[in-house]
Amino acid sequence: MMSTHELSEQEVIRRQSLQEIINLGIDPYPAALYPVNATAKHIHDNYKQGDEASFKDITIAGRLMGRRIMGKAAFAEILDATGRVQIYINRDEVCPGEDKTLYNTLFKKLLDIGDFIGITGYVFTTQTGETTVHATSFTLLSKSLHPLPVVKEKDGEVFDAFSDPEMRYRQRYVDLIVNPHVRDTFIKRSVMIKTIRDFLNEHGALEVDTPVLQNIPGGAAARPFITHHNALDVPFYLRIANELYLKRLIVGGFDFVYEFSRNFRNEGMDRTHNPEFTVLEFYVAYKDYYWMMEFTEKMMERVAVALHGTTEVQTGDNIISYKAPFKRVSIHQAIKEHTGFDVAAMDEDGLRGVCKELHIETDASMGKGKLIDEIFGAKCEGQYIQPTFIIDYPVELSPLTKKHREHAGLVERFELMINGKEMANAYSELNDPLEQRERFEEQAKLMERGDDEAMFIDHDFLRALEYGMPPTSGIGFGIDRIAMLMTNSPSIQDVLLFPQMRPEKVAEVKKEEEKA
RNA sequence: GAUUCCGUAGCUCAGCUGGUAGAGCAAUACACUUUUAAUGUAUGGGCCCUGGGUUCGAGUCCCAGCGGGAUCACCA
């Protein structure tokens, strides 16, 4: 699989072809500016049969994806950044003189699927009705030495699809070349992020960058990656969240800040978790979590329309409606609806009884809040297919959240559930520095008891709060998960260009062993 | 981390109760000037993931390892 393995027959042949091309005096890797003036998409979208006049000096470039050679003429397919277009090459047109080498030798024998070529010519429609570029000349732009999987398609049916997940993720470049839907997914992801950024900027938000390397990994309950700075001789943590830095900026006087934050968590991997992932967090001064729900609805609706032209989006077997407003259900109501138990007034023992009846495993370290969270996670979370705000969480689970203005024991927090999964987590931010210090101290006790996900005390953050933070609402969106929803992708690996995998075993190692 | 399935040609896959490896596409050669999964004829191509074991004999059975998928647990 790696470059040092013994070359396959096809690789040997391509290297020989490369040498023959050089022997013909042709540079297989020209350092050239190639004057492309059209794309496959532009041609397909704009050419109408009979409109030869505006398509007579076309120059396109791309990867050769298929050839149908019929003696003195041939059809081929070119893939550029916008898609495929068919080209037609006639021997006597690209080789008007006696010397037919360019066609007979270079085009027919020495070129391979995967090579980059440039074509000049004009657009016409074939007898079978396909828009095609009739080549008057062609140029080799880059020779390919590695055979590409040949995926064919007819009437929407795909033959010999390049489908092995391991190869697709490890060699994403190949996946992108041969699987058009993969390219489409990542274009959609990009449009989604642009739409969100535009929406935030229109509302006066300021995009900021905060540290990835942190002395204290804060803002979430998770296991961090640890690294080391040599010059300072101190450990650093890769960030698990950027929340505490964004709030420092609210203290500093910005009133609406956001960051697309690459976060890192040293935890398990599966179809919804990658060790590094993207979270959009934003914080808005003088707002509360009710305002944030309305803002979130509008943002999600905007994203759906930008990607699909409608608020109704197919995800798996479900059609999900992003039409605002979304339902709001308190976590207590949700549990009552889906289990029949009213846990609102229960104490820890009562909750343990409920867990036992529902066959939910518990352990001694779990407090009231954690038990409620367990019940919700086991019996309710998966039920919320349509976008729903689950609101008013127990205080124990939310050390950075403001206490509820009306309900004792709860905090002003919501999670946005879509397709049975949490997509966003938001709250009215705790801005009372003394209470924040107490909450941190509770976390410190948990850490002493061996909870490796409990939060560190961040003294600088407390100092910032002591200077005063206005009432603020903040939110974090799981961008990868929203991308999964919006592109109908069942696995996070399908919305990450290079999902994390075990390092590939390299052939070099084997070679070294043989020497030794 | 647990369970389970998978790993055979460049790609997608067959390969039965164990008997020394097959197809389609791709490649190579020839033919063919509007084809489109182009076609026709011929040819070549395999550390059957790795290492042990059982056996006269292992792609196939057993054990261990490596890599991946799915499900579960933790989490976003």
Side-chain angles (χ1 to χ4, degrees):
Chain A
M1 224 186 241
M2 295 299 284
S3 56
T4 49
H5 72 345
E6 248 177 81
L7 294 181
S8 70
E9 180 193 37
Q10 294 195 41
E11 289 170 298
V12 170
I13 289 166
R14 285 182 181 225
R15 278 165 168 74
Q16 288 167 354
S17 298
L18 176 73
Q19 189 54 50
E20 286 175 49
I21 288 166
I22 293 167
N23 294 346
L24 286 173
I26 295 166
D27 183 352
Y29 300 105
L33 177 77
Y34 192 75
V36 172
N37 67 9
T39 62
K41 184 170 169 23
H42 174 260
I43 290 166
H44 286 301
D45 287 352
N46 296 293
Y47 174 78
K48 300 271 184 304
Q49 193 165 4
D51 186 19
E52 274 69 27
S54 35
F55 288 87
K56 67 178 184 335
D57 290 309
I58 290 297
T59 301
I60 58 166
R63 206 183 271 278
L64 183 62
M65 292 304 284
R67 279 184 303 172
R68 294 177 285 278
I69 294 172
M70 297 159 301
K72 299 180 186 65
F75 287 91
E77 277 173 48
I78 297 290
L79 173 69
D80 69 15
T82 66
R84 289 185 183 219
V85 65
Q86 181 171 260
I87 62 167
Y88 173 76
I89 291 191
N90 183 308
R91 186 192 70 182
D92 297 327
E93 290 178 80
V94 295
C95 303
E98 283 301 302
D99 183 3
K100 306 295 185 192
T101 308
L102 205 57
Y103 180 83
N104 283 342
T105 307
L106 182 62
F107 182 77
K108 279 170 68 173
K109 292 188 191 298
L110 301 180
L111 290 193
D112 290 291
I113 287 173
D115 292 351
F116 281 91
I117 60 172
I119 300 288
T120 59
Y122 57 91
V123 181
F124 77 113
T125 303
T126 64
Q127 287 174 1
T128 49
E130 178 145 347
T131 300
T132 301
V133 179
H134 190 132
T136 50
S137 71
F138 73 95
T139 312
L140 174 61
L141 297 174
S142 180
K143 181 78 188 129
S144 163
L145 297 180
H146 210 111
L148 219 44
V150 178
V151 180
K152 300 211 175 189
E153 196 198 318
K154 187 185 190 179
D155 303 329
E157 199 180 342
V158 176
F159 299 82
D160 300 331
F162 179 64
S163 56
D164 179 349
E166 179 172 3
M167 280 197 286
R168 288 185 47 223
Y169 301 144
R170 287 196 194 279
Q171 300 186 55
R172 182 67 93 181
Y173 35 89
V174 175
D175 194 28
L176 286 165
I177 293 165
V178 302
N179 289 327
H181 67 275
V182 174
R183 176 199 302 246
D184 186 57
T185 292
F186 289 103
I187 291 172
K188 276 210 173 73
R189 181 181 168 121
S190 177
V191 170
M192 178 184 110
I193 288 172
K194 181 185 183 301
T195 302
I196 292 171
R197 182 173 272 129
D198 289 348
F199 185 76
L200 291 168
N201 290 344
E202 283 166 21
H203 286 82
L206 182 75
E207 183 166 15
V208 297
D209 293 292
T210 66
V212 174
L213 291 176
Q214 302 181 348
N215 302 102
I216 297 168
R223 260 159 279 189
F225 285 92
I226 304 175
T227 185
H228 182 262
H229 190 281
N230 288 341
L232 298 177
D233 191 26
V234 292
F236 273 114
Y237 299 90
L238 271 60
R239 71 175 163 201
I240 55 174
N242 59 351
E243 168 158 356
L244 301 185
Y245 282 93
L246 293 184
K247 285 192 208 171
R248 282 174 172 91
L249 296 176
I250 298 291
V251 169
F254 292 122
D255 58 9
F256 192 165
V257 291
Y258 74 95
E259 180 177 17
F260 287 93
S261 172
R262 188 68 66 85
N263 293 347
F264 304 85
R265 297 191 184 173
N266 208 341
E267 293 166 351
M269 303 163 58
D270 60 31
R271 72 182 196 293
T272 57
H273 297 85
N274 195 63
E276 56 182 291
F277 60 103
T278 303
V279 171
L280 164 67
E281 290 201 30
F282 57 84
Y283 290 81
V284 196
Y286 314 115
K287 305 297 185 194
D288 60 12
Y289 79 138
Y290 293 116
W291 178 90
M292 187 60 88
M293 282 190 255
E294 288 175 23
F295 192 84
T296 298
E297 291 163 351
K298 284 185 219 148
M299 194 180 96
M300 293 300 294
E301 188 176 298
R302 171 90 160 253
V303 167
V305 171
L307 264 54
H308 299 281
T310 165
T311 53
E312 314 301 302
V313 178
Q314 176 99 32
T315 298
D317 295 331
N318 302 310
I319 304 268
I320 295 176
S321 172
Y322 292 92
K323 183 88 191 141
F326 300 165
K327 263 204 305 190
R328 300 180 186 185
V329 181
S330 81
I331 193 165
H332 288 157
Q333 276 172 278
I335 290 172
K336 198 171 177 181
E337 267 174 50
H338 294 106
T339 69
F341 290 101
D342 188 349
V343 297
M346 283 189 189
D347 59 8
E348 197 175 313
D349 286 342
L351 288 165
R352 280 187 195 285
V354 170
C355 285
K356 200 165 184 187
E357 276 193 58
L358 297 172
H359 305 105
I360 297 167
E361 280 182 42
T362 61
D363 66 62
S365 76
M366 291 178 178
K368 240 181 93 174
K370 183 71 182 162
L371 291 167
I372 287 174
D373 191 49
E374 290 289 319
I375 296 168
F376 180 80
K379 298 292 170 189
C380 310
E381 181 170 349
Q383 311 285 330
Y384 294 100
I385 302 301
Q386 296 301 321
T388 305
F389 294 116
I390 302 298
I391 65 173
D392 299 345
Y393 282 69
V395 63
E396 294 87 343
L397 281 176
S398 314
L400 302 167
T401 309
K402 187 173 276 194
K403 278 185 178 154
H404 201 285
R405 64 192 84 177
E406 291 166 13
H407 306 299
L410 301 180
V411 291
E412 296 202 350
R413 171 179 175 185
F414 71 79
E415 291 192 353
L416 173 59
M417 315 297 309
I418 307 175
N419 202 33
K421 280 262 151 52
E422 179 192 343
M423 294 294 150
N425 180 17
Y427 27 95
S428 298
E429 303 297 331
L430 176 56
N431 61 343
D432 175 340
L434 301 179
E435 191 182 340
Q436 182 66 77
R437 183 177 296 277
E438 285 170 20
R439 302 260 196 106
F440 271 144
E441 279 162 2
E442 285 160 21
Q443 291 287 312
K445 281 181 206 151
L446 287 177
M447 192 175 284
E448 278 167 24
R449 271 167 49 184
D451 184 345
D452 57 357
E453 290 186 351
M455 290 185 191
F456 291 71
I457 298 182
D458 187 333
H459 292 285
D460 177 68
F461 175 67
L462 289 171
R463 180 167 60 188
L465 284 191
E466 284 171 10
Y467 279 97
M469 184 173 86
T472 298
S473 186
I475 190 164
F477 285 89
I479 288 296
D480 308 298
R481 291 203 176 161
I482 295 173
M484 287 164 66
L485 284 179
M486 291 291 170
T487 60
N488 197 7
S489 301
S491 164
I492 197 170
Q493 293 166 307
D494 293 321
V495 298
L496 298 172
L497 281 166
F498 301 101
Q500 205 56 249
M501 301 195 87
R502 271 209 168 70
E504 194 172 358
K505 259 201 174 167
V506 293
E508 275 91 336
V509 174
K510 202 174 165 190
K511 255 186 145 181
E512 292 304 314
E513 283 169 358
E514 280 166 10
K515 276 183 210 162

